[in-house]
Amino acid sequence: MKVAIVGCGYVGTATAKHLRGKSDCTVTATTTTATRVVELEGVAQRVAVVKGNDKDAIASVLQEQDAVMLCVGAPNPHTYRESYLDTATTLVSVLQETPTVKQVIYTGSYSVYGDRQGEFVNEESPVKLANPNGEIMAETERVLLAASSPTLHVCILRLGGIYGPGRELVKIFRGWAGNTRPGGGEDVTNWVHLDDVVGGLTFALENRLQGIYNLVGDVSLSSRELLDRIFETHNLPKASWDKSVTSVRPYNARVSNQKIKAAGYQFIHPEIREY
């Protein structure tokens, strides 16, 4: 199987490394940064430097590929449209001319559920957009799903917050130790380990999944529970909370992962063990 991974940051690079280790996979990795070519040549058989809105470059990457994984990320909040929606739109326009591609798998975000006051949501729940970037993420999903056909399966993986080697939770939140946070810390967080992002992408590829699947761990911790566990583990001062100040965190939903488990995926890290 020939697989193109468009966007090889934290997730794409790990996935390329995993797939290259399979005897039946040939991996093409893309990056927007020429200085990363040598690094990516260590995890993929072919590397291309392309921009997501360059139709000719994307078309060249997709030639003779069987599947595409869209694992792009935005370097900052101002580049969401370019990173996500423009790349998806370009990809879809090219797919019409690339009949070898039978599957597209996209790593999106559970952020499209917005603020549900901590209620449970699943893939059937309507999106609730918290900000303009949430709208871009939702529109990216719509553009990709609209390309589905009997010969092209499109799978959307709505990821939780990603943690793992090099992106440990203590690294993400160390700066909050001993600080006062707005609100009471009751808002719900959803996380997924890098191993399960790679595992979920591989599972979707091997089983030709189609449609939307949440990819988050089994346990949704509140912000207070999460920070308490991190700081206790690392002997750091706990964060305190000020309920007189409204939390500005736009995502607050308990995300169900039952659909992808029912499809047969077994989580490597169903609960957070590494803080």
Side-chain angles (χ1 to χ4, degrees):
M1 178 176 289
K2 296 181 179 180
V3 182
I5 302 177
V6 178
C8 278
Y10 187 62
V11 167
T13 301
T15 305
K17 183 178 180 179
H18 175 73
L19 291 179
R20 184 173 182 172
K22 291 179 168 289
S23 60
D24 60 342
C25 270
T26 301
V27 180
T28 296
T30 82
T31 177
T32 59
T33 309
T35 54
R36 295 198 61 231
V37 169
V38 173
E39 173 196 352
L40 292 176
E41 284 176 341
V43 299
Q45 285 92 341
R46 175 185 170 212
V47 180
V49 180
V50 301
K51 297 288 187 182
N53 59 1
D54 186 334
K55 183 175 179 178
D56 290 340
I58 294 291
S60 177
V61 166
L62 298 194
Q63 285 302 311
E64 299 183 0
Q65 299 300 300
D66 300 302
V68 182
M69 293 181 175
L70 186 57
C71 300
V72 293
N76 62 68
H78 306 292
T79 59
Y80 266 60
R81 179 172 294 277
E82 177 185 350
S83 299
Y84 291 101
L85 185 55
D86 290 355
T87 304
T89 302
T90 304
L91 178 64
V92 167
S93 69
V94 170
L95 286 172
Q96 298 171 358
E97 305 156 9
T98 318
T100 60
V101 175
K102 303 301 183 186
Q103 187 172 32
V104 174
I105 309 168
Y106 164 64
T107 52
S109 169
Y110 86 93
S111 65
V112 296
Y113 293 118
D115 184 358
R116 311 303 271 266
Q117 286 78 53
E119 293 181 356
F120 275 98
V121 293
N122 61 28
E123 292 83 355
E124 300 300 318
S125 303
V127 298
K128 186 176 182 182
L129 307 176
N131 51 41
N133 282 341
E135 172 58 40
I136 290 170
M137 298 297 283
E139 181 62 20
T140 300
E141 289 188 357
R142 289 192 288 267
V143 166
L144 292 169
L145 289 170
S148 298
S149 73
T151 58
L152 178 66
H153 286 194
V154 176
C155 177
I156 308 294
L157 297 177
R158 290 177 174 167
L159 307 186
I162 305 169
Y163 71 102
R167 194 182 283 188
E168 292 83 3
L169 290 166
V170 68
K171 284 188 177 181
I172 298 171
F173 293 109
R174 183 185 293 273
W176 292 11
N179 289 349
T180 300
R181 305 297 306 165
E186 293 93 355
D187 56 289
V188 179
T189 69
N190 301 271
W191 294 87
V192 62
H193 194 282
L194 177 65
D195 291 344
D196 281 308
V197 181
V198 174
L201 281 162
T202 306
F203 180 81
L205 176 70
E206 293 175 345
N207 293 276
R208 293 203 66 203
L209 293 190
Q210 181 162 286
I212 298 171
Y213 292 82
N214 295 326
L215 191 62
V216 302
D218 287 354
V219 180
S220 301
L221 298 176
S222 71
S223 288
R224 179 190 289 272
E225 290 172 315
L226 179 69
L227 294 182
D228 282 353
R229 293 187 187 187
I230 294 169
F231 299 150
E232 285 173 5
T233 300
H234 296 277
N235 297 313
L236 295 169
K238 283 188 178 183
S240 55
W241 301 88
D242 184 354
K243 290 187 177 182
S244 70
V245 182
T246 303
S247 172
V248 295
R249 189 169 179 272
Y251 317 123
N252 183 11
R254 251 173 239 284
V255 180
S256 169
N257 64 6
Q258 290 305 303
K259 183 178 178 182
I260 196 162
K261 290 203 296 187
Y265 182 67
Q266 295 182 332
F267 278 83
I268 302 164
H269 304 274
E271 298 183 36
I272 298 173
R273 300 294 188 190
E274 306 166 8
Y275 294 97

